[in-house]
Structure formats: C-alpha cells, structure tokens
Amino acid sequence: MSGKEIRRSMPLFPIGTVMQLTELTARQIRYYEEHELISPARTDGNRRLFSLVDIDRLLEIKDLIDQGINMAGIKQLLLVKEQQANVIQQQAEKAKQELTDDQLRNLLRQELQQAGRFNRSSLRQGDMSRFFH
Amino acid sequence: MSGKEIRRSMPLFPIGTVMQLTELTARQIRYYEEHELISPARTDGNRRLFSLVDIDRLLEIKDLIDQGINMAGIKQLLLVKEQQANVIQQQAEKAKQELTDDQLRNLLRQELQQAGRFNRSSLRQGDMSRFFH
DNA sequence: ATCATGTGTTAGATTTTCTAACATGGTTTT
DNA sequence: AAAACCATGTTAGAAAATCTAACACATGAT
C-alpha cells in the first residue's frame, strides 16, 4: 500500500548531493523551500535531508522555472498535479477492482493522454528514475 | 549496457545516512573500508560518499558478521560472489544472444538454485531494494 | 523610475565527518 | 595463565558542509 511511498519519501540526501543531482544551487533549493514548493526533512542538527520525492519535485520545479513560470505559478501547478495524481490513483485502484484488464488499459491510456495535455513532465514517476535501477 | 551499474554505483550518501540505513556505526563502516571490504568514493573535501552498491555490500557484510565470519572470510566471500556474479552475467548475456526464451528461463533458474546453495544473501540485488520503488 | 523577484555572495555559527590514538571485552595462541 | 589479536567503543582536535541572515544585483512588471 503505502510502503512504496514511504521509501520514496525517506529522507536520505544532504543538500550537497541534491545540488549535484539537480544542478541547482543551495540558494535556489533553500529559496524554493522558503516558498513552500518543497519541505525536506531535518536532522537532529537542523541540516536538510531530502528524499527521492523531493528530488523529483526539484527537477520538476527546475523544468517549470525554465519555462518562465514563477513561484506562485509553480506552487499551483504542483498542487494541481498532486490532486490529479491522487484522483488518478484512486480511480486506478477502483478500476483494478471493478474493471477487466482490457478496460483498465484503456482507462490508463486516456489518463495518460489527458495528463500529457497539461504538463510536460509526467505524473507517474519523476525523472529520478534515471538514477536508479 | 552499463547505464544501470553507473547509477547504482553513483556516490550519493554521506556516512550519517548510511549509518541509519545499515544500522552500523561509523567506526564499523570505516573499519570495513580499512580492510578493503568497501571502497566508498570521496568528496573534494575528503568526506566519504556511498553508493547503493556500497550500501548493499554493507548489509551483506553485516549479515556475514552476524554469522560469526571474520574480515578475512568476508573478504574472500565477497570476492567469490563478485566473480560468480560476473560469470553468471556473462553467461546470461551470451544466453540472451544464443538461446530461445525458454532455454534462457531454464538456465537462469539453474543459476539461481546454484547460487542459493552457496550464499544466504542473493547475488542479484542487495537488500537496498526494499528502500526504493 | 520604482518595485518585486529570483539568485549570487558573504559572514559567523553550528553540525558532521575526518584521522589518529588509546581503551576494552572476547578469542586465540603461546 | 599471560600475551597477542580482533572488532568495536570512545575521545580529541581539525577540517568540511550546512545553516540563517543580510546585503547586492539584474531583470521584468507597474
């Protein structure tokens, strides 16, 4: 159920590693946190610790910045996407129970198209996937 | 080809994170490095940076330690396993080119059984897999 | 022309990690 | 039994990484 998400949201990386992975400066990363685009965990000693989810999100943010969107816009976009993702996941779960495989495939395809219409970066899984497995 | 391995061997984690993930002390981790059971990368400032491969290896080491095996023994075991893994991978590659899918499945099953006979922990992928995806 | 935004830069404090050394409780070896 | 060895704990001092806060600056909006 939530096992996967717990893992992907496990705080693991210090800001230095995240800088390399995302090619953002520490200043930028902290600024985005200040504007609540991300909420990295903290160590006992107050150092930031980022999860894979955080990093995916930062890569998305970078992408949106490159598209000229400002903090407020990005915040909204990320919010909407989150909601969409939730809805879609719920639907998928319902679908799994109620639909045949064939119908399910169809539904997912539709959702993917719909998502593609709205955002450049995918809903499913952030770009971090290129770093692992 | 080697893309996957590059990713899994990408130096990402500082020792603090590795301590939590493996439940080993810094002293232990450094000691194992001293005895060349692992070779973590270093930052420009000489801090250790561990990869997923390193962490998998540390979990294996921990397991072997728990079984009462000493440094020398562990070193040899890890070496042998590495070689085995290489051989198996080479065979698998050759197999992919030469065999039908059916034959390939058979070969892999055999190899898995063979591996299981020798080591408790699997050859394929370390325990870290439980943290991601 | 002024203001707001996003980022750069700097300073001083704090946390984390580093190496090296010594301490210690179990095992072997003598 | 004493000595030596092994894996780990602990400590000290130095160096690196990160933190917050402040000020600087270029660009685009009002």
Side-chain angles (χ1 to χ4, degrees):
Chain A
M1 331 272 125
S2 63
K4 230 173 252 185
E5 220 34 49
I6 285 169
R7 283 150 202 165
R8 286 190 60 76
S9 65
M10 189 183 291
L12 295 175
F13 308 97
I15 202 169
T17 299
V18 177
M19 289 171 65
Q20 292 190 186
L21 254 28
T22 61
E23 297 181 275
L24 292 167
T25 66
R27 183 66 165 95
Q28 287 177 299
I29 296 169
R30 296 192 192 112
Y31 187 72
Y32 303 152
E33 182 189 19
E34 194 179 337
H35 286 263
E36 300 179 283
L37 303 186
I38 50 172
S39 300
R42 297 284 182 138
T43 66
D44 289 341
N46 199 37
R47 269 81 237 274
R48 272 165 268 253
L49 271 194
F50 299 78
S51 67
L52 289 174
V53 170
D54 290 326
I55 293 174
D56 283 341
R57 212 173 160 89
L58 283 170
L59 290 171
E60 266 190 282
I61 292 170
K62 199 186 179 193
D63 211 63
L64 297 174
I65 290 264
D66 286 347
Q67 294 173 52
I69 305 171
N70 67 8
M71 295 296 107
I74 294 175
K75 193 165 180 178
Q76 284 312 306
L77 273 172
L78 292 179
L79 250 172
V80 170
K81 277 201 205 180
E82 223 172 65
Q83 292 173 325
Q84 266 188 221
N86 285 343
V87 169
I88 288 179
Q89 210 210 331
Q90 284 179 318
Q91 286 181 339
E93 266 167 36
K94 217 181 277 177
K96 253 184 210 157
Q97 300 177 324
E98 295 177 4
L99 301 180
T100 69
D101 282 13
D102 233 56
Q103 288 171 309
L104 176 57
R105 253 189 298 283
N106 239 288
L107 178 62
L108 287 176
R109 183 158 45 67
Q110 275 181 278
E111 282 164 351
L112 276 164
Q113 282 174 213
Q114 172 57 28
R117 225 166 278 136
F118 211 170
N119 2 250
R120 286 219 313 157
S121 37
S122 159
L123 278 173
R124 280 358 86 205
Q125 170 128 321
D127 291 320
M128 269 308 288
S129 47
R130 78 188 133 98
F131 290 117
F132 298 102
H133 283 159
Chain B
M1 309 274 139
S2 62
K4 228 174 255 182
E5 220 34 49
I6 285 169
R7 284 151 203 163
R8 285 191 60 78
S9 66
M10 190 184 289
L12 295 175
F13 308 97
I15 201 169
T17 299
V18 177
M19 289 171 64
Q20 291 190 185
L21 253 29
T22 61
E23 298 183 273
L24 293 167
T25 66
R27 184 69 166 91
Q28 287 177 299
I29 296 170
R30 295 192 192 112
Y31 187 70
Y32 302 152
E33 181 188 21
E34 195 179 336
H35 286 263
E36 299 179 285
L37 304 186
I38 51 171
S39 300
R42 299 283 182 136
T43 66
D44 289 343
N46 199 37
R47 269 84 234 276
R48 272 166 267 254
L49 270 193
F50 299 79
S51 67
L52 289 174
V53 170
D54 290 325
I55 292 174
D56 283 342
R57 212 173 159 90
L58 282 171
L59 291 170
E60 266 191 281
I61 292 170
K62 199 186 178 193
D63 211 61
L64 297 174
I65 291 263
D66 285 347
Q67 295 173 51
I69 305 171
N70 67 7
M71 295 296 107
I74 294 175
K75 194 165 179 178
Q76 284 313 306
L77 274 172
L78 292 178
L79 250 172
V80 170
K81 277 201 203 180
E82 222 172 69
Q83 293 173 325
Q84 266 188 222
N86 284 344
V87 169
I88 288 178
Q89 210 210 331
Q90 284 179 319
Q91 287 180 338
E93 268 167 36
K94 218 181 277 176
K96 254 184 210 160
Q97 300 176 323
E98 294 177 6
L99 301 180
T100 69
D101 282 11
D102 233 57
Q103 289 170 310
L104 175 58
R105 253 189 297 283
N106 238 289
L107 179 62
L108 286 176
R109 183 158 45 67
Q110 276 182 276
E111 283 163 353
L112 275 165
Q113 284 174 211
Q114 171 58 26
R117 225 165 276 137
F118 213 170
N119 0 253
R120 286 218 314 158
S121 37
S122 159
L123 279 171
R124 288 345 92 212
Q125 170 128 322
D127 291 323
M128 269 306 288
S129 47
R130 81 187 129 99
F131 290 118
F132 297 102
H133 282 155

